[in-house]
Amino acid sequence: QAQLVESGGGLVQAGGSLRLSCAASELSFSRYSMGWFRQAPGKEREFVAAISRSGTRTSYSDSVKGRLTISRDDAKKTHYLQMNSLKPDDTAVYYCAARSTLYMSDTTTGYNYWGQGTQVTVSS
């Protein structure tokens, strides 16, 4: 059974940085495009970033573009979300996801596997 496990969340002041990690197991990692989503209290889960199988293409939501960077390390079966210049509006549970196709997706329905989520809280 494929599994994704996030880590790296926590409490940070506005303007600070965090790096989230998503480790995959029982998954042919290099065959999957990967994504990050987030869900704030009372809101729907929303797309944050995605990276292609090859790692050569990335996609970001407008709200995080220029501040967050997605990357992957296939040898470690891990992908990352570097979060800089964090804002209170970035507070949410962050979920990683894996998609077994060549192309990236910015919709939740496009992903086969999900992690359990990690909390990110940005104080003002």
Side-chain angles (χ1 to χ4, degrees), residues 47-49 58-69 87:
F47 171 74
V48 175
T58 57
S59 176
Y60 298 92
S61 68
D62 289 342
S63 62
V64 306
K65 200 172 293 183
R67 300 187 297 116
L68 276 57
T69 304
K87 305 175 182 180

Side-chain angles (χ1 to χ4, degrees), residues 38 40 43 46 63 67 86-92 94 122:
R38 67 186 182 187
K43 295 187 177 181
E46 66 173 3
S63 62
R67 300 187 297 116
L86 284 164
K87 305 175 182 180
D89 284 350
D90 294 318
T91 296
Y94 283 71
V122 184

Side-chain angles (χ1 to χ4, degrees), residues 37-108:
F37 291 75
R38 67 186 182 187
Q39 188 166 18
K43 295 187 177 181
E44 292 187 353
R45 193 170 298 189
E46 66 173 3
F47 171 74
V48 175
I51 188 166
S52 64
R53 290 195 313 193
S54 65
T56 57
R57 290 174 290 154
T58 57
S59 176
Y60 298 92
S61 68
D62 289 342
S63 62
V64 306
K65 200 172 293 183
R67 300 187 297 116
L68 276 57
T69 304
I70 189 171
S71 62
R72 63 188 294 157
D73 184 336
D74 286 5
K76 295 182 178 180
K77 292 189 175 183
T78 301
H79 78 284
Y80 306 94
L81 186 67
Q82 178 66 44
M83 310 169 69
N84 298 328
S85 302
L86 284 164
K87 305 175 182 180
D89 284 350
D90 294 318
T91 296
V93 177
Y94 283 71
Y95 298 89
C96 66
R99 171 178 164 88
S100 61
T101 68
L102 176 63
Y103 300 105
M104 301 178 290
S105 173
D106 61 0
T107 63
T108 58

Side-chain angles (χ1 to χ4, degrees), residues 4-42:
L4 301 177
V5 179
E6 301 99 334
S7 60
L11 173 64
V12 64
Q13 289 188 329
S17 298
L18 284 174
R19 188 174 83 153
L20 305 184
S21 300
C22 176
S25 60
E26 304 301 324
L27 191 74
S28 297
F29 188 78
S30 62
R31 297 183 179 181
Y32 286 76
S33 59
M34 308 298 292
W36 286 95
F37 291 75
R38 67 186 182 187
Q39 188 166 18

